Amino acid sequence: MQTQAGQPAPGGRASERAIGVLISGRGSNLQALIDAIAEGQLHARIAVVISNRPEAGGLARAVAAGIETVVLDHRAFESRDDFDRSVAATLLSRGVRVVCLAGFMRLVGPPLLDAFPDAILNIHPSLLPAFPGVDAQRQALEYGVKIAGATVHLVNGELDAGPIVLQASVPVEDDDTVETLSARILVQEHRLYPAAVQLILNGGWTLDGRRVVCQTANPGR
Ligand code: GRF
């Protein structure tokens, strides 16, 4: 079955290409999005950056770029759903259309998924469906794969399991450590995420089962 995707999220001041970025840590992928926008490669506006951790390094990157930041500490909420509802309300009130998880270390539940159907993206440092979850690069090394990589996918209710938007591969060298392999993958992540966000914002794609199918040429691939 094909569904028309890329519709604006309901509610709020729907700004054509407003995105929200959710982080928990250093925010290098957030920085890649900021830089791609500044360089004119990604036509978007980051309306808000939300962190569930007050100490996240990525918050300073957002402030330096003049982007609004909001800290929603998950420990302050009574339930997972309460936290998700608050995140959704914050995004909707800023007119966000597409949500980008960038090192956001929380599972996304129904209140947030329902507010942004087929409009939440995540970046994961493996070639999914291989090595979901934490320590993907270590999992890849320990398994002994010769090719690793990164995936941007739409978020559904399962961990790292939504439809794949873009992937990039890197070789695994015999002398790789978790650190060297992670660094090689990260270079690709920073290229891949802006390209995937641009693709989703541009529309012209449909979901055919699990497959993200593009009607136009896709430069990110
Ligand atoms: C990245 O490797 C990303 O793929 C994973 O978490 C890491 C976040 O890094 N989901 P950063 O905070 O974007 O630097």
Side-chain angles (χ1 to χ4, degrees):
M1 191 189 75
Q2 294 217 339
T3 55
Q4 183 59 52
Q7 297 299 315
R13 302 180 310 279
S15 157
E16 231 343 64
R17 301 179 72 93
I19 66 175
V21 184
L22 273 49
I23 63 169
S24 299
R26 69 185 164 181
S28 73
N29 278 289
L30 164 65
Q31 190 67 55
L33 295 172
I34 293 170
D35 293 346
I37 291 169
E39 290 159 13
Q41 291 161 4
L42 168 58
H43 304 295
R45 181 176 65 82
I46 302 177
V48 64
V49 170
I50 301 174
S51 175
N52 68 310
R53 294 187 180 279
E55 72 279 10
L59 288 168
R61 298 178 189 265
V63 170
I67 299 166
E68 182 192 7
T69 59
V70 175
V71 174
L72 296 173
D73 190 333
H74 61 277
R75 294 166 296 194
F77 292 83
E78 287 214 339
S79 70
R80 187 178 289 274
D81 277 3
D82 281 351
F83 172 73
D84 275 12
R85 267 190 286 273
S86 182
V87 172
T90 303
L91 293 164
L92 289 170
S93 68
R94 272 77 175 175
V96 166
R97 182 179 160 201
V98 167
V99 182
C100 302
L101 311 187
F104 182 63
M105 302 300 283
R106 305 286 302 168
L107 278 176
V108 173
L112 190 47
L113 288 168
D114 293 348
F116 293 93
D118 295 332
I120 305 178
L121 292 169
N122 181 45
I123 186 154
H124 183 75
S126 79
L127 291 175
L128 290 170
F131 315 127
V134 295
D135 280 338
Q137 304 94 330
R138 182 182 302 279
Q139 292 184 57
L141 265 187
E142 289 178 354
Y143 195 93
V145 294
K146 301 300 183 190
I147 298 175
T151 303
V152 178
H153 63 93
L154 292 168
V155 174
N156 61 15
E158 295 156 56
L159 178 66
D160 299 327
I164 290 168
V165 179
L166 288 179
Q167 290 186 303
S169 62
V170 302
V172 180
E173 309 291 352
D174 286 348
D175 60 354
D176 262 336
T177 62
V178 172
E179 289 71 29
T180 58
L181 179 59
S182 299
R184 193 174 307 119
I185 293 172
L186 199 61
V187 172
Q188 293 303 316
E189 291 187 42
H190 294 165
R191 181 184 68 78
L192 205 60
Y193 214 177
V197 175
Q198 177 86 334
L199 187 158
I200 294 299
L201 282 174
N202 282 353
W205 56 275
T206 53
L207 263 184
D208 182 3
R210 286 193 48 86
R211 300 181 68 206
V212 175
V213 180
C214 298
Q215 276 75 52
T216 49
N218 176 7
R221 218 168 253 170

